[in-house]
């Protein structure tokens, strides 16, 4: 499995953790992406937001507004519904 595919899989898992309000688990997945594929989509920026803010609702709003570039579609649709 190439690093792109592995990062894509981890990103999807991280977004599922965000949906389930599992902040620490999402941070771990996003950190792994950074090790495998630095600069992958918005993994770094989302991880930074998760580390700065305790409110998962605020993070979800920020993802929808500013950090959704190439995010997994199915998971993004769930987050968009939660935010709006």
């Amino acid at each position: 499995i190439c690093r792109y595919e592995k990062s894509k899989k981890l990103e999807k898992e991280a977004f599922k953790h965000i949906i389930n309000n599992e902040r620490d688990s999402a941070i771990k997945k996003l950190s792994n992406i950074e090790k495998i594929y630095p600069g992958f989509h918005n993994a770094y920026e989302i991880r930074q937001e998760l580390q700065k803010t305790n409110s998962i609702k605020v993070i979800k709003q920020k993802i929808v507004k500013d950090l959704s570039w190439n995010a997994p579609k199915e998971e993004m649709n769930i987050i968009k519904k939660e935010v709006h």
Side-chain angles (χ1 to χ4, degrees):
I1 188 167
C2 72
R3 67 185 187 128
Y4 177 82
E5 290 300 322
K6 178 74 173 165
S7 296
K8 216 173 152 163
K9 180 180 180 288
L10 287 169
E11 181 185 45
K12 192 171 181 74
E13 292 170 6
F15 270 76
K16 286 181 181 179
H17 286 304
I18 291 168
I19 289 165
N20 293 323
N21 303 320
E22 299 163 343
R23 198 173 144 271
D24 292 340
S25 296
I27 289 170
K28 286 178 188 167
K29 296 290 181 183
L30 294 165
S31 294
N32 286 339
I33 293 169
E34 279 298 301
K35 290 176 192 160
I36 296 167
Y37 199 133
F40 187 81
H41 298 167
N42 285 121
Y44 173 80
E45 292 83 358
I46 294 170
R47 182 177 57 81
Q48 291 292 101
E49 290 298 323
L50 284 165
Q51 290 175 320
K52 279 195 304 192
T53 308
N54 283 330
S55 171
I56 199 81
K57 183 178 180 177
V58 170
I59 301 297
K60 289 176 182 178
Q61 291 168 339
K62 179 85 172 168
I63 290 169
V64 169
K65 186 174 181 253
D66 300 321
L67 302 172
S68 62
W69 180 70
N70 277 344
K73 287 183 181 13
E74 184 181 332
E75 287 73 17
M76 269 309 298
N77 287 336
I78 293 168
I79 291 172
K80 283 178 184 173
K81 286 177 187 171
E82 287 182 12
V83 169
H84 290 108

